[in-house]
Amino acid sequence: MASSTDLSRIKEISDTGKQQNRVVTEEEWLQKWEANNIGFHQEQGHPLADMGHSVVGVEFSKQALKEFFTEQNLSYSEESIPEISNGKVFKSTSGNISLYCCSIYDLSSKIAGKFDGIWDRGSLVAINPCDRERYANLMLSRMDKNCSYLLATVSYDPSKYKGPPFYVPEHEIESLFGKFCEIKCLQKQDAFSERQKEWGLDYFLEVLYLLKIFPG
């Protein structure tokens, strides 16, 4: 006889299954920026570069990258990436911010190297559910041995909203990264607002994890 915990897990898997076939195309993503349908966007950038870090980002929309530099009042240069067809890299004049305009799957370690730190906000939850394993393997390959990977996901009732952002349950984080990383849930924060209410949701949490490569 199944326990209440087992039944909850069965319902969770069933509900997430309703999002499994959801695919956001590159064209749909570009249209979101063109139509300013970017509720995921924050006006204030995360102060990584201001803290002395060299920052590398990747975004498919050229419009998004240009708007970033405009919003932050930063001068920049634009260069082609020989290894990526139609790929561009936007570099701040200060030299500590490099933003690549391409598919994240095209950004090899040969081009961008490995990283001491990764801040994943709005990336895993935007990746098409069918591509999560590919994405996780990509991120693992970019982690240096001492890398700290901060991963933000969202939690809500996926039977009520098709995404994105997509619901990524904790057991899937474990399935994607658990063989290679220590995973610690740092916090769960109520982020419910009128926007989520318009989506038909009655709760919405932001969940923050810290991932570290197992030693050895």
Side-chain angles (χ1 to χ4, degrees):
M1 183 175 180
S3 67
S4 58
T5 301
D6 292 334
L7 293 174
S8 296
R9 176 59 59 80
I10 291 171
K11 182 179 185 302
E12 181 181 68
I13 294 172
S14 175
D15 287 342
T16 55
K18 296 176 183 179
Q19 292 188 341
Q20 283 302 111
N21 296 324
R22 172 78 164 109
V23 174
V24 180
T25 65
E26 293 175 350
E27 290 75 18
E28 185 177 348
W29 182 252
L30 293 175
Q31 288 169 5
K32 284 180 179 290
W33 279 98
E34 291 170 1
N36 200 37
N37 182 18
I38 49 174
F40 51 85
H41 182 58
Q42 293 184 339
E43 291 185 7
Q44 297 296 322
H46 297 287
L48 297 173
D50 295 337
M51 297 171 69
H53 300 295
S54 293
V55 176
V56 173
V58 59
E59 165 60 54
F60 190 72
S61 168
K62 181 184 289 188
Q63 176 183 337
L65 297 182
K66 288 186 174 182
E67 288 183 5
F68 166 80
F69 285 104
T70 300
E71 290 172 359
Q72 301 302 316
N73 195 27
L74 296 173
S75 57
Y76 67 93
S77 62
E78 178 180 343
E79 303 172 14
S80 297
I81 309 171
E83 299 90 342
I84 302 176
S85 177
N86 299 318
K88 299 285 186 180
V89 58
F90 295 78
K91 295 183 178 181
S92 64
T93 302
S94 62
N96 63 337
I97 300 177
S98 299
L99 304 182
Y100 289 84
C101 184
C102 62
S103 167
I104 192 171
Y105 301 112
D106 291 333
L107 193 63
S108 67
S109 56
K110 180 181 178 181
I111 298 172
K114 293 195 174 186
F115 301 100
D116 298 321
I118 296 174
W119 173 218
D120 186 330
R121 178 201 167 271
S123 187
L124 178 60
V125 296
I127 294 296
N128 293 322
C130 61
D131 291 328
R132 282 180 188 158
E133 186 172 354
R134 181 186 181 192
Y135 174 82
N137 289 335
L138 177 80
M139 300 310 287
L140 287 165
S141 72
R142 299 298 179 272
M143 295 176 70
D144 205 351
K145 62 180 181 179
N146 295 317
C147 178
S148 294
Y149 182 174
L150 278 174
L151 170 62
T153 66
V154 292
S155 178
Y156 61 84
D157 183 346
S159 68
K160 295 183 177 182
Y161 180 64
K162 65 179 182 178
F166 296 111
Y167 169 53
V168 186
E170 189 168 349
H171 72 82
E172 188 160 2
I173 301 296
E174 182 66 35
S175 175
L176 291 171
F177 297 101
K179 291 182 180 179
F180 307 97
C181 296
E182 174 190 358
I183 302 171
K184 180 185 293 186
C185 182
L186 299 181
Q187 70 175 27
K188 296 183 180 181
Q189 181 174 330
D190 183 7
F192 187 71
S193 68
E194 282 299 317
R195 176 177 295 275
Q196 284 77 44
K197 189 175 181 179
E198 291 172 1
W199 293 347
L201 301 176
D202 47 21
Y203 74 93
F204 188 85
L205 302 175
E206 289 186 349
V207 187
L208 184 65
Y209 297 92
L210 174 63
L211 282 62
K212 301 276 289 187
I213 296 286
F214 287 131

